[in-house]
Amino acid sequence: MDVNVTIQGTPSSNQKRGHPFDALKKSHLFSSLSNDQIDRVCQHASVLKLSEDQPLFMQGDDVNRFYLVITGRIKLFRLSPTGQEKIIDIVSDGHMFAEALMFMDHPHYPVSASAISKSEIIGIDAKDFKAMLRNSVDTCFLLMADMSLRLKSLIHEIGTLSLQTGTCRVASYILENAPSDTDSFTLNIAKSLIASRVSVTPETFSRILKELCQKKILSVEGSDIMIHDRQALENISISKHMG
């Protein structure tokens, strides 16, 4: 079962053309659906509001829904036998998660999910949406493309974990999250969560940041990052031998 969350009621007929209809219409996956089809999705959907650190579902729960993040961030994670948390992904607004599970027989969530910050998401009935796909070839292809991109990203991440050092992974994370038009930005999640995401300990993450500061590649003030030498950071991110 899903962990308890605050749920807004399923939209009535006079609400279909508002929220969550508009949020679904803007999503890439639902862009090829007709208004009537999105109405159907809304009829079987729930808008969920989660507070910071509130769980959504736990690893092993039955899969009933997949989710679209409207605002906030959701972390997907697994716990080791010793209770150590490993973050698998951080899902931000406009993105979905758990959609591929609808194609499995009697699926269970392979990860747990909880809100990093105050979040609003749409829970979409997986069984009904799967049935509706039979009448929407374009949406099937969009979903296949989305899952292919997700698979490509996971393969890339396996290569990164296997071949790159922690310093490379931290440099890559900073570059991936830095705006292209400015060298100054703020990390929008806790450093401990970033450390888990790039598979280093919080202590190692802090040490790597300190080393990058000492090399004058960047500077750090709390959660604020200033990149001084983007080219050097890019060179580190593709190196396999830097400690």
Side-chain angles (χ1 to χ4, degrees):
M1 290 181 63
D2 291 356
V3 177
N4 289 334
V5 292
T6 301
I7 303 179
Q8 291 183 347
T10 303
S12 61
S13 57
N14 62 354
Q15 293 175 312
K16 293 176 185 176
R17 291 297 185 267
H19 183 64
F21 181 96
D22 293 338
L24 292 172
K25 192 68 175 177
K26 293 176 183 177
S27 173
H28 178 66
L29 176 62
F30 300 96
S31 61
S32 65
L33 296 180
S34 68
N35 286 350
D36 287 343
Q37 288 174 315
I38 295 181
D39 283 343
R40 173 175 168 176
V41 174
C42 290
Q43 289 171 3
H44 295 85
S46 297
V47 177
L48 317 172
K49 291 188 175 182
L50 286 77
S51 58
E52 182 177 351
D53 295 326
Q54 186 172 359
L56 175 63
F57 56 75
M58 301 300 293
Q59 179 180 335
D61 284 351
D62 291 337
V63 173
N64 298 309
R65 298 179 181 274
F66 64 97
Y67 299 91
L68 171 67
V69 180
I70 304 174
T71 60
R73 289 179 175 82
I74 304 294
K75 67 176 179 180
L76 308 179
F77 64 96
R78 292 177 67 99
L79 294 178
S80 71
T82 60
Q84 183 178 6
E85 181 179 285
K86 165 57 184 169
I87 295 180
I88 306 301
D89 200 5
I90 295 173
V91 188
S92 57
D93 53 287
H95 293 85
M96 294 189 308
F97 58 98
E99 68 274 20
L101 297 174
M102 77 174 90
F103 297 107
M104 300 175 62
D105 293 328
H106 310 296
H108 298 85
Y109 291 111
V111 297
S112 299
S114 66
I116 292 176
S117 58
K118 185 178 179 180
S119 302
E120 185 175 7
I121 65 177
I122 300 175
I124 300 156
D125 186 285
K127 183 177 180 180
D128 183 74
F129 189 80
K130 181 181 177 181
M132 193 175 66
L133 286 177
R134 300 179 186 276
N135 300 316
S136 181
V137 175
D138 289 342
T139 302
C140 287
F141 277 106
L142 286 174
L143 186 57
M144 289 171 62
D146 177 73
M147 290 190 291
S148 296
L149 288 173
R150 195 79 55 88
L151 178 60
K152 182 179 179 181
S153 175
L154 290 173
I155 292 172
H156 173 74
E157 183 169 345
I158 290 171
T160 298
L161 291 172
S162 302
L163 300 174
Q164 291 187 334
T165 66
T167 301
C168 299
R169 297 196 296 273
V170 171
S172 295
Y173 182 91
I174 292 173
L175 288 169
E176 289 169 2
N177 288 272
S180 58
D181 57 347
T182 179
D183 290 324
S184 178
F185 68 103
T186 300
L187 296 173
N188 49 29
I189 61 174
K191 292 178 182 178
S192 59
L193 297 180
I194 298 174
S196 177
R197 184 69 186 90
V198 299
S199 296
V200 298
T201 65
E203 294 78 14
T204 298
F205 182 75
S206 296
R207 175 182 61 78
I208 291 171
L209 288 183
K210 183 177 180 181
E211 290 174 352
L212 293 174
C213 290
Q214 291 173 343
K215 295 176 184 293
K216 309 297 184 183
I217 294 174
L218 52 80
S219 57
V220 181
E221 289 290 338
S223 297
D224 296 328
I225 303 288
M226 172 67 77
I227 300 175
H228 302 296
D229 192 339
R230 189 177 287 261
Q231 185 59 57
L233 197 61
E234 290 175 351
N235 291 340
I236 291 172
S237 71
I238 61 176
S239 170
K240 300 176 184 177
H241 305 293
M242 185 172 178

